[in-house]
Amino acid sequence: MAKGTGVCALIQPLPNGLVALAFALLLAGCAGTPAPANLDHRSATAADTPMLAAAEQGDLARVEALTREGAALNAVTEQGTPLLAAARSGHDQVVWYLLSQGADSDLAAGDGLTPLMAAADRGHRGATRLLLSAGAQVNAVSVRGETPLLLAARAGNLSVVKALLGAGANVNVSQGGQSLLMQVVAGGDLLTAEVLLAAGADVRYADPQGRTALDVARANGHRDLEMLLVQAGAGY
């Protein structure tokens, strides 16, 4: 996203319905402004990054003060970035502020976990929507093969699943040879499976051993899911 300070720093948290418009205005107002040094990507330790602790605790006043003092917004520590810490903890106002100040929405630590993945995994819909509006990559993949949608669906965070799908998340993502639908079926989550199927999940996808979501449902005794999958075209 565009980087800058000045008038851009005055933008305050808005209701979810105005998030996309606000970010569009932010981009228009801040375009061309030179990026300050505190937006540089740099490695650091969590102990030496007070911004990380303030973001994780949701201490907006402290985050604002540290930003004015020139603290790095894009410091990458062993615990991730300040934005990731705020997203993981569901502190929407801090997420908003960091993004408005130019924090990188996709910056990840060595494990590849992005702020959007952290928010999706914990079921924080507000933070998820803010990050998506800021242009976070909806189909980013971690070192372990996780995507925001995979994490949200596997955790049963249905409202976040719907938000991610609406933003273009790949419903047919797989991890370790198993499709997302297979993983959700294995967990017995009927509602999430229904949403994935409605979004176009491949009901006939087979893992390297030839197993499908229907096989998984039968093996785990999930009769309701078995019926759902058969109705969706599995087994034919």
Side-chain angles (χ1 to χ4, degrees), residues 118-186:
D121 186 38
R122 297 292 181 89
H124 299 312
R125 185 173 64 172
T128 295
R129 290 187 180 279
L130 285 166
L131 288 159
L132 289 172
S133 295
Q137 294 298 310
V138 71
N139 289 313
V141 183
S142 74
V143 172
R144 294 185 293 271
E146 301 155 330
T147 68
L149 180 61
L150 191 151
L151 289 167
R154 200 162 58 191
N157 300 324
L158 196 55
S159 63
V160 174
V161 167
K162 292 177 179 179
L164 293 168
L165 288 171
N170 178 13
V171 72
N172 286 311
V173 65
S174 62
Q175 180 189 29
Q178 282 202 326
S179 69
L180 173 55
L181 179 62
M182 292 175 72
Q183 295 186 38
V184 168
V185 167

